[in-house]
Amino acid sequence: MKVPGLRRNAGFTIIELLIAVGLFLILANKVTVVMNAAARFTEDESATVVLEDQAHRVLDRIAAAVMGTNGETLVPDAEAPAHSSQLLFQVLLGIEEGEAVWSDPEQIALSESLRKVLWRQNPDTPEETRVVWSNLVRPYLEGEVPNGVDDNGNNLVDENGLTFVIDRNRVTIQISLTQQQSDGRTLIRTLATTATCRNIVTQGGP
Ligand SMILES: [Ca+2]
Ligand SMILES: [Ca+2]
């Protein structure tokens, strides 16, 4: 015996199937968007930690070097707001028989490629030794482009991604590190600190 309406309720109609497939595709698309955003966020977080960690370590090393010098050993001997991308200095190693003992000349500078921070001892001599402290430097400080104008409003014009401002025995160090993400976006982190030359030696200095 036939029951009225039984055939119609036994399965999905084509329209119902199309609606179900459409809803599934919309849902799948939303899930994909959310997953991509989560992956991007995770990648950004990871890269940010790397950039900030490396920037802090480089700033700490430079600040420690500056504190080991006296103002007279710092080259260039520039008055603020003059700026430079290199420091040449000697570190006070100690006092021997009343005389200050200084290290061999050391240099911290941006490389010619504008991407690396290089520490060098006895630079440009056969005895030169060098260590790369960072290879993620931005060629110009965040917000700055080489156009003869102070684009980022810090009173410095066309300053590089590693910049020193020397004001007597105080050195302000600014650094911008950058890393390109897998989707082509670029992350930038900029940090700054000021260090003071603490070894004021009036006799026996270089
Ligand atoms: Ca500037
Ligand atoms: Ca500029």
Side-chain angles (χ1 to χ4, degrees):
M1 188 177 83
K2 285 187 175 180
V3 177
L6 182 61
R7 181 183 176 81
R8 187 170 181 274
N9 296 330
F12 295 108
T13 66
I14 291 178
I15 292 177
E16 288 170 334
L17 280 172
L18 289 175
I19 291 173
V21 170
L23 289 174
F24 173 78
L25 291 176
I26 291 171
L27 183 62
N29 183 55
K30 286 185 179 298
V31 169
T32 302
V33 169
V34 170
M35 289 181 66
N36 286 342
R40 217 163 36 237
F41 178 78
T42 303
E43 187 183 19
D44 286 359
E45 286 284 291
S46 176
T48 298
V49 168
V50 170
L51 289 178
E52 291 193 350
D53 181 59
Q54 193 167 121
H56 277 297
R57 273 190 288 122
V58 172
L59 286 184
D60 288 347
R61 284 175 162 179
I62 296 173
V66 169
M67 287 189 287
T69 73
N70 73 1
E72 294 174 3
T73 69
L74 283 173
V75 178
D77 182 16
E79 291 291 325
H83 61 92
S84 170
S85 290
Q86 69 161 2
L87 284 179
L88 187 63
F89 56 92
Q90 288 173 268
V91 175
L92 181 65
L93 301 177
I95 305 293
E96 193 172 292
E97 297 179 354
E99 295 290 326
V101 179
W102 296 89
S103 71
D104 288 341
E106 299 181 22
Q107 184 194 57
I108 299 170
L110 197 57
S111 67
E112 289 183 1
S113 68
L114 304 182
R115 293 306 309 270
K116 297 179 181 177
V117 177
L118 291 178
W119 171 86
R120 298 194 296 165
Q121 190 170 52
N122 297 311
D124 302 320
T125 70
E127 294 77 33
E128 176 182 310
T129 55
R130 62 167 59 193
V131 178
V132 176
W133 282 358
S134 174
N135 55 7
L136 297 176
V137 185
R138 192 174 190 268
Y140 292 88
L141 209 67
E142 184 173 6
E144 192 67 41
V145 293
N147 56 2
V149 175
D150 176 19
D151 303 283
N152 54 10
N154 63 354
N155 297 323
L156 306 177
V157 176
D158 297 351
E159 71 275 17
N160 291 116
L162 173 67
T163 294
F164 304 109
V165 176
I166 304 173
D167 185 7
R168 287 184 285 276
N169 65 335
R170 280 162 41 95
V171 180
T172 299
I173 311 146
Q174 300 177 74
I175 191 169
S176 285
L177 300 187
T178 185
Q179 190 164 26
Q180 193 167 47
Q181 301 298 85
S182 57
D183 60 3
R185 291 174 306 112
T186 299
L187 288 184
I188 303 170
R189 282 295 175 271
T190 299
L191 296 178
T193 191
T194 298
T196 301
C197 309
R198 291 182 174 171
N199 289 310
I200 307 302
V201 176
T202 55
Q203 291 184 343

